[in-house]
Structures are given as structure tokens and as C-alpha cells.
Amino acid sequence: MEQELLPYVEQSPSSTPNACVIWLHGLGDSGHGFAPIVPELKLPDTMAVKFIFPHAPERPVTINGGMRMRAWYDIKSLDFNSRADLTGVLESASQVEALIQEQVDKGIPTNRIVLAGFSQGGVIALHLAPRFTHKLAGVMALSTYMCEPSLLASEATDTNRDIPIMMAHGDQDEVVPIFMGNAAYKTLTDNGFNATWQTYTMQHNVCMQELNDISAWLQKVLA
């Protein structure tokens, strides 16, 4: 049985798109959360990049008293090692894989697709990309961490080991402490992945300097 595609917000360029950014939101947010930043990136029209902002499924979240909200996985505890529920992460990664396939079916090859994610969304991006068997254009992991880092060495494929992985984090982040992001970065580089690490004077959010850097990075990766 084919799984139902996640609903999403789409922002398409004026010309036929030849590249795509699939951007995953954080806990309790929706695809609408990051959509307004597309104009802020000021990408040249010639790039013809389509942006897809999926809505995570609604599920009860343990740390929020079991309240239902949009979440890529349950968070049972804030403990560093068990914050991300692996079962939920795998389910969401599979749903994102289906979104990638939809774009491929529409004529955008995987090597023209950037997988981006903020916080919980970044956890999904960092889980899927190293295990994905088709070449992506790059990965953007913002204010995020890694689910079960000890599994990476045995589960990673070589397909995306050399693609650029941009990791960015606020040095005043109280939601996902910076050491968690840096630990994910180190796990990636220790396993031979092409990750970069950048910090900003901010909390658990994005700032203008970061958006400028994201724009420059996207222009380079999708040139």
C-alpha cells in the first residue's frame, strides 16, 4: 500500500523549476512557519528553485503532557541520548523520502534537491541523508541534533558522504543546547561526511546573517 504524501506549502519560481529545497519545520510549527523566508533569501530568478515546506503529522508529545501537535517524532525526555524517538524518526524519514520521490517524478533529479530542516526537522534531515541511496545536492541542518549518533557508522551509505552539509546553531540556544549540535557535526565529520559548522549570536531561531549565509550556500550548491 502506497503511503499518503505529507501535505505541504509550495513556493514555485516564475520559470520551470530545475531544483528543489525540501524544508522541514520544528516541533509544533507547520510548513507555513518557514515559507515567508523565501523572499528574504533573495535568490536570483535564474536559479528556478522550488521550495516545499511539508507539515509534520500531528501526534501526542510526551514532554508537552501528551498534547497533540505537529511533530516529526515524540520527545519522551530532554535527555541528550534519548531525546529523539527512533521509531518516529524512521517513519518521518520514510515520508520525506516519498516527497523526494514525488519531485523526482516531476522531473527534478535528486542531485538537484536540498534537504533542509530546523530543530526536529533537522534531526530527520540528518538521519535520512547519510542513509539515502541517491545523491542529493546538499543538506542544511539548523539548530538541530542527531538521533542515535552511534548508529551512523554502521548504517551510513557512501552515496552522500561528499555532499555539502551546512550546520548552523545559535550560541544562546536553550532549547537545543549548542553542544548537541556540535556533537552531531563531529559525528558526521568523524564518519567522513562533508559537514561545516557555523554559530550565530542567537537563541533557538534564525537570524538575518544566517539567512544571508543560507542564500550564499544555496547559490553555490545549486549553481
Side-chain angles (χ1 to χ4, degrees), residues 17-214:
N18 62 32
C20 177
V21 177
I22 298 176
W23 195 314
L24 313 176
H25 63 75
L27 176 66
D29 199 359
S30 75
H32 295 288
F34 275 102
I37 73 165
V38 175
E40 304 286 333
L41 296 173
K42 299 182 172 65
L43 296 176
D45 294 338
T46 50
M47 280 184 68
V49 183
K50 175 201 293 188
F51 283 80
I52 299 284
F53 299 96
H55 304 300
E58 288 189 3
R59 69 182 81 223
V61 176
T62 305
I63 58 153
N64 289 343
M67 193 189 299
R68 285 184 71 81
M69 60 184 66
R70 292 201 181 277
W72 296 107
Y73 50 86
D74 187 18
I75 300 178
K76 295 189 171 81
S77 102
L78 290 175
D79 176 61
F80 173 54
N81 291 313
S82 55
R83 187 177 290 204
D85 169 52
L86 182 59
T87 306
V89 169
L90 292 172
E91 282 171 12
S92 289
S94 168
Q95 289 175 301
V96 173
E97 217 168 319
L99 286 178
I100 294 173
Q101 186 57 50
E102 184 199 32
Q103 294 310 309
V104 171
D105 294 343
K106 288 181 175 180
I108 298 177
T110 58
N111 67 357
R112 298 287 296 156
I113 295 175
V114 166
L115 190 54
F118 175 82
S119 197
Q120 261 210 348
V123 172
I124 304 303
L126 287 183
H127 195 82
L128 176 57
R131 295 162 174 83
F132 198 51
T133 52
H134 300 281
K135 190 95 162 179
L136 293 165
V139 177
M140 206 161 66
L142 314 175
S143 305
T144 192
Y145 57 103
M146 191 178 282
C147 171
E148 306 277 359
S150 60
L151 297 177
L152 187 68
S154 61
E155 295 180 358
T157 68
D158 287 334
T159 314
N160 287 302
R161 225 176 274 264
D162 60 348
I163 65 165
I165 300 175
M166 174 188 179
M167 295 197 67
H169 218 105
D171 58 13
Q172 297 158 17
D173 193 330
E174 291 176 359
V175 179
V176 178
I178 191 165
F179 80 86
M180 291 179 70
N182 193 251
Y185 163 69
K186 285 184 171 145
T187 299
L188 286 165
T189 53
D190 287 350
N191 283 278
F193 284 89
N194 178 23
T196 55
W197 173 255
Q198 178 71 40
T199 60
Y200 299 89
T201 307
M202 63 178 186
Q203 296 173 341
H204 195 61
N205 57 324
V206 293
C207 64
M208 204 60 228
Q209 182 57 55
E210 184 181 18
L211 289 182
N212 293 340
D213 292 345
I214 286 170

